[in-house]
Structure formats: structure tokens, C-alpha cells
Amino acid sequence: MPELSFLDDKRRATKRLVDVIRQQCLGTTFRALADQTGVAVNTVKNIAHDLIDELEQTVCYETPVIMGIDEVNLAGGYRCVITNLATNNVFEMLEQRTQDHLKPFFKELPNREKVEWVCTDMWRPFKRSFAEFLPNAKLVIDKFHVVKMASEALEEERKKYQVQLSKEDRINVKKSIRWLTLKRPANLTPAEHKALAIVREQIPELSIAYDFKESFFAIYDEPDKQKAQNAFEAWKNSLPDDGMEPFKKLVKTVHNHYEDIFAYWDAPFPITNAYTEGLNGLIKMSNRLGRGYSYEIIRAKTLYSSEARKVGSGIRSGRGKVEYGPHIPTLVKQVESGELD
């Protein structure tokens, strides 16, 4: 029997058809691709998994100099996402955020000595996981997670006031006062500024808590580390002996992570800006992609999107093309347009 060179070695399909499925399987649903090509859904899945196995062996992204570590809720569990903050790219996605998953990753990380900064939240296992294996890396706690605690402290104070009101008044307070007090002053409209002034006049206790929240945020406006530390000490000492317990808890948290929080002012640029932008993008992705896909497929769609990888690559003198990983804003656009469904 003559050899049929146009047939795929593993399946009863032409090589051309398999190539079409390989090109599209990470950018559309398996069901839609099966309907389009006339093959079984399981065949599409198998081709996709073969492609993913191949990509796992052949794709290698440049190790980040400035690395972000966070978690995103995907496919029924919290996954650890590693990002390149200097280029706003996804570098890796791990199935779990435990030390059992993180330590082997950092131990086997190529060129791990290149990592100079790691930005993450205050979850201690993150630091314990990389400290041993990234000899040149310094941890900085993300600004977003720090100031968020001040907003949460203000929320606790608002709720204490709110429970004293009637049900109707509580609903009104939650709808209006909550957003007025959580917004930064620069983001308030003229009408909201007037409304906030009324709230501050009528609820003095909440006004005081609001000022503590804002003055804590202002610590990050200080130009250098010493001034920021002085501002924190002044803020801490201004808290009253009685009351404002949520803000006193914040003081303890800052002291527990003091060195890593104030490392923000040692960094070469405000690392947190890229971190927060990337994290928000990943959350948008997870909300869209997390419907009906396994973790393995979501990871592949995220890490191996050809368009996002193209945007996330560059040229380095003497080395040619360098890939940093899929570009997060491009991934978000693809998700929003349905290209990764």
C-alpha cells in the first residue's frame, strides 16, 4: 500500500487539517472548532494537548529583572501568576501558590540571579519561597495592598456608625457615604466634594477616620524613604488612645512588614504601578476565561497566545529576538473581543 504522506501520523486526518486546528485551538472553543472542521471535540482536545506539550518544551521567556507574584482565582482554585513588571508581561502561571509549588519553580528558574526585585502582597509563603533561590532579589510589598488596608479600616469605622441607624438610613449610608469616603479627593466631582463636606460636618467620628485614611495614603507621596518613615511615625503617633482600633491594627501590620513596605522607596521606579495594572488585567481575564475551561487550557491560552507573545517580544543587540511573555494589555483586549474564547 503506498504511503499517504498527506495524512497525519497520529490521526485519521490530513496534516493540513491538523495544522489548522493547531493554529486555532488556543484562540477559540473546542466545540466551535470541531463544528467548523467536522472532527470530534475529543480530537480537537487531543491536538490541543499535543500542541501544549510541544510549546512547554520549546517556548522560553526571558527571566524578569523585576518580578511580580500574585494569585488569581481561576478554574476553581487560586493560581499563582508570575509577571514581568518591567515589560507588563505574563511570565508563568503555577497551579497552586503553596511553597511545594513555588520552591521548585524558583530553584529551576533559568538565570535566576537576574531577578533584582520581587513585588508581591504580604502573604509570607511568597517570600519564604523565593528568598533561598533568588540571591540578588529584594522584596517590596505592593503599595496597592498596603493602602488598601487603610481603606478597609475606614470601612470598619463606617460600619460601626451604620449599625446605629434605621434600616432605610443604613441603605442610604452604604450607597452614598461608602463611595464618597473611599474615593480619593482628586477623583471626586464638584458635587461629590459638596456631599462629602456635609457628611464630614454631620458625622464627625467618620470625618476623623476619613482623615486618618487620607493621611496614610499621603505617606506614599513622600519623595524618599526617610521622609516616608517619618510620615508614618507621625501618623501612628496621631492616633487617639481610645478608639480607631482598625487603624491601630494597620500599625501592627506595617511594623510586621516594615522593611519590605518601605523598600518601595529603594526601588529604581514605582514598581507598584506596573504591578497593579497587570493584576487588574489578569483579574479581567480570569473573570472571562474561567468559564468552562480546565486550568491547563486557561494557562495555555494565557501563556501561548501568539498575538500577545508577538507584542511581548523585542530585539536585543547581539541576540536577536527575545520573548518576555504574552503582553497583558494585549491579552485583555483579546479576551474582551472574544479572541481567546
Side-chain angles (χ1 to χ4, degrees):
M1 183 175 178
E3 182 179 348
L4 302 177
S5 59
F6 59 89
L7 290 179
D8 184 71
D9 294 335
K10 297 177 65 174
R11 298 172 182 87
R12 296 177 62 183
T14 65
K15 292 179 180 178
R16 183 177 179 182
L17 178 58
V18 171
D19 285 342
V20 168
I21 294 173
R22 282 168 59 92
Q23 291 168 18
Q24 298 184 27
C25 63
L26 297 182
T28 188
T29 64
F30 293 163
R31 170 65 64 185
L33 194 51
D35 292 342
Q36 176 187 330
T37 57
V39 302
V41 173
N42 281 340
T43 300
V44 175
K45 286 183 180 179
N46 291 335
I47 293 172
H49 282 292
D50 285 350
L51 172 63
I52 293 168
D53 290 342
E54 182 182 315
L55 291 169
E56 287 287 322
Q57 299 300 317
T58 57
V59 174
C60 182
Y61 297 138
E62 189 84 353
T63 298
V65 174
I66 304 174
M67 178 183 287
I69 308 175
D70 212 295
E71 61 184 23
V72 175
N73 193 351
L74 278 174
Y78 281 96
R79 318 300 180 178
C80 182
V81 181
I82 315 293
T83 52
N84 186 328
L85 299 184
T87 57
N88 206 2
N89 294 46
V90 180
F91 177 70
E92 181 58 281
M93 186 182 292
L94 306 179
E95 186 172 6
Q96 295 183 32
R97 58 174 183 164
T98 64
Q99 290 193 64
D100 289 341
H101 282 74
L102 288 164
K103 282 191 172 183
F105 167 75
F106 288 117
K107 184 178 181 180
E108 301 300 325
L109 181 68
N111 303 312
R112 60 190 185 184
E113 71 282 352
K114 288 180 56 178
V115 183
E116 297 179 6
W117 290 91
V118 175
C119 184
T120 185
D121 61 19
M122 284 165 276
W123 198 58
R124 291 188 184 277
F126 281 152
K127 184 174 183 178
R128 289 197 291 266
S129 298
F130 76 77
E132 179 182 354
F133 303 109
L134 304 183
N136 300 319
K138 186 171 183 178
L139 174 65
V140 55
I141 299 294
D142 172 51
K143 167 188 170 182
F144 170 78
H145 287 90
V146 179
V147 298
K148 181 182 176 185
M149 293 187 296
S151 294
E152 291 169 347
L154 174 61
E155 272 291 272
E156 287 191 49
E157 290 295 326
R158 179 188 62 77
K159 289 174 183 176
K160 281 167 52 179
Y161 164 75
Q162 187 175 310
V163 296
Q164 304 170 21
L165 305 176
S166 67
K167 182 178 180 181
E168 183 178 345
D169 287 339
R170 283 202 304 271
I171 293 173
N172 182 58
V173 165
K174 185 174 182 179
K175 284 183 177 179
S176 57
I177 296 180
R178 180 172 186 240
W179 297 115
L180 283 175
T181 54
L182 288 181
K183 266 188 172 183
R184 300 302 312 280
N187 297 328
L188 292 172
T189 66
E192 288 171 334
H193 273 292
K194 290 181 180 179
L196 180 61
I198 295 171
V199 170
R200 288 167 65 86
E201 181 180 349
Q202 294 185 354
I203 316 173
E205 299 87 349
L206 193 58
S207 178
I208 294 170
Y210 174 82
D211 287 337
F212 279 125
K213 186 264 287 187
E214 282 300 315
S215 55
F216 186 85
F217 269 73
I219 293 171
Y220 277 92
D221 295 332
E222 296 295 340
D224 60 56
K225 187 175 185 176
Q226 187 60 59
K227 289 180 179 177
Q229 291 172 325
N230 292 343
F232 170 70
E233 291 300 316
W235 178 86
K236 177 182 71 174
N237 293 332
S238 70
L239 291 170
D241 293 334
D242 297 321
M244 297 295 163
E245 296 305 318
F247 289 100
K248 292 174 183 176
K249 290 179 184 177
L250 172 54
V251 170
K252 292 180 181 179
T253 302
V254 171
H255 278 299
N256 287 340
H257 301 272
Y258 193 88
E259 179 182 344
D260 300 328
I261 287 174
F262 286 97
Y264 173 85
W265 283 268
D266 296 328
F269 64 89
I271 289 175
T272 190
N273 292 343
Y275 179 96
T276 304
E277 180 183 352
L279 178 58
N280 288 340
L282 290 168
I283 290 171
K284 287 181 183 178
M285 284 180 54
S286 68
N287 289 340
R288 176 69 178 263
L289 281 178
R291 302 168 186 168
Y293 288 111
S294 67
Y295 157 73
E296 291 78 10
I297 296 300
I298 294 175
R299 178 179 179 275
K301 283 175 173 283
T302 302
L303 285 179
Y304 304 127
S305 162
S306 57
E307 181 62 27
R309 284 174 60 194
K310 189 188 306 179
V311 177
S313 62
I315 302 295
R316 178 171 295 176
S317 177
R319 289 187 54 189
K321 183 178 179 181
V322 176
E323 280 206 80
Y324 297 102
H327 187 235
I328 292 174
T330 303
L331 283 171
V332 172
K333 288 180 182 178
Q334 289 184 286
V335 168
E336 291 175 343
S337 66
E339 292 178 46
L340 295 185
D341 282 352

